[in-house]
Amino acid sequence: GDSVTQMEGPVTLSEEAFLTINCTYTATGYPSLFWYVQYPGEGLQLLLKATKADDKGSNKGFEATYRKETTSFHLEKGSVQVSDSAVYFCAPLLTQGGSEKLVFGKGTKLTVNP
Amino acid sequence: EPEVTQTPSHQVTQMGQEVILRCVPISNHLYFYWYRQILGQKVEFLVSFYNNEISEKSEIFDDQFSVERPDGSNFTLKIRSTKLEDSAMYFCASSVRDNYGYTFGSGTRLTVV
């Protein structure tokens, strides 16, 4: 069945380091793909999205490209900041149990040190 | 920017008691959802709701759970007889259509003691 696999953390980086968080999915079609972020003590915020192959979603310096050949949607940022410390969730719209819904990866906790 | 509003932000209840978690989705959204996140674990789908009825529910959403949209603006999740393992963060979400991104509320932290 449709599923999502996300790189597990935790990930600890120094400020200005490069970030990659891997996400792959299994799906019968071409689902819309999302990254959500959860800052400490807060809810889930949409970070970026891509709805078709080769689309690049971007926001706050983060990017992710819809790669249908590898069924991947890896999150990248060239230079992380302390304020980027949060948990990041890959969440494709997958068909599970008969209908489409957001299915969350396990989340990757990122800590950025000054 | 439109928001999904959830109340209360934190609820403590005794095991066996009923709780109602409340949500006000974005006004022009038609699809509504509840998810939960047990501390430190993944975000899990509970139920989806469209056109005044449940579209789908997960295995977690057993007979103790129910949802309602009583007045066209609120969307509630009721747990009839809470168990310790119901302790979690519950997130409400809404969407303008079923293949679009969801907007989540800030969550209700439910603690069952």
Side-chain angles (χ1 to χ4, degrees):
Chain A
D2 292 6
S3 64
V4 55
T5 302
Q6 180 179 344
M7 180 179 97
E8 294 192 36
V11 173
T12 302
L13 296 173
S14 298
E15 211 164 19
E16 299 184 2
F18 183 84
L19 168 72
T20 299
I21 301 176
N22 290 339
C23 173
T24 58
Y25 61 91
T26 303
T28 50
Y30 300 105
S32 296
L33 306 173
F34 302 85
W35 277 97
Y36 280 82
V37 58
Q38 186 177 31
Y39 296 103
E42 298 187 15
L44 297 162
Q45 298 178 26
L46 177 63
L47 180 60
L48 55 82
K49 67 181 182 185
T51 57
K52 60 183 188 295
D54 300 326
D55 266 4
K56 180 185 283 188
S58 61
N59 186 24
K60 300 182 182 180
F62 290 89
E63 294 183 338
T65 301
Y66 193 135
R67 304 280 188 204
K68 72 173 183 179
E69 300 84 4
T70 53
T71 60
S72 64
F73 192 53
H74 304 323
L75 183 68
E76 295 182 337
K77 186 172 186 180
S79 176
V80 295
Q81 306 300 313
V82 172
S83 57
D84 294 327
S85 297
V87 181
Y88 293 82
F89 293 92
C90 181
L93 262 175
L94 298 179
T95 300
Q96 284 189 348
S99 71
E100 248 184 354
K101 63 181 76 64
L102 272 184
V103 176
F104 284 81
K106 291 186 176 180
T108 303
K109 183 175 181 180
L110 170 67
T111 302
V112 181
N113 295 318
Chain B
E1 189 169 333
E3 289 184 343
V4 173
T5 305
Q6 287 187 246
T7 55
S9 57
H10 191 188
Q11 173 129 19
V12 181
T13 189
Q14 290 207 328
M15 192 169 54
Q17 294 297 304
E18 175 183 286
V19 294
I20 298 177
L21 309 183
R22 302 181 192 279
C23 170
V24 179
I26 293 173
S27 61
N28 65 333
H29 285 189
L30 302 176
Y31 298 82
F32 313 112
Y33 311 87
W34 284 100
Y35 281 74
R36 80 171 185 190
Q37 183 183 33
I38 295 173
L39 186 62
Q41 298 186 28
K42 66 186 296 185
V43 180
E44 301 173 294
F45 169 79
L46 291 178
V47 66
S48 57
F49 191 89
Y50 170 70
N51 201 24
N52 285 320
E53 61 183 24
I54 290 174
S55 307
E56 186 180 345
K57 55 187 180 180
S58 71
E59 291 178 352
I60 303 167
F61 195 90
D62 61 21
D63 291 345
Q64 295 300 311
F65 290 85
S66 62
V67 289
E68 199 176 38
R69 190 157 160 77
D71 56 12
S73 62
N74 290 283
F75 180 51
T76 61
L77 174 69
K78 182 193 292 186
I79 309 174
R80 287 189 188 79
S81 178
T82 50
K83 308 189 222 11
L84 294 176
E85 54 265 37
D86 293 328
S87 295
M89 182 75 91
Y90 289 80
F91 291 105
C92 173
S94 68
S95 178
V96 66
R97 58 179 188 264
D98 64 355
N99 62 350
Y100 210 67
Y102 304 175
T103 302
F104 284 84
S106 55
T108 293
R109 181 169 296 285
L110 176 66
T111 303
V112 182
V113 297

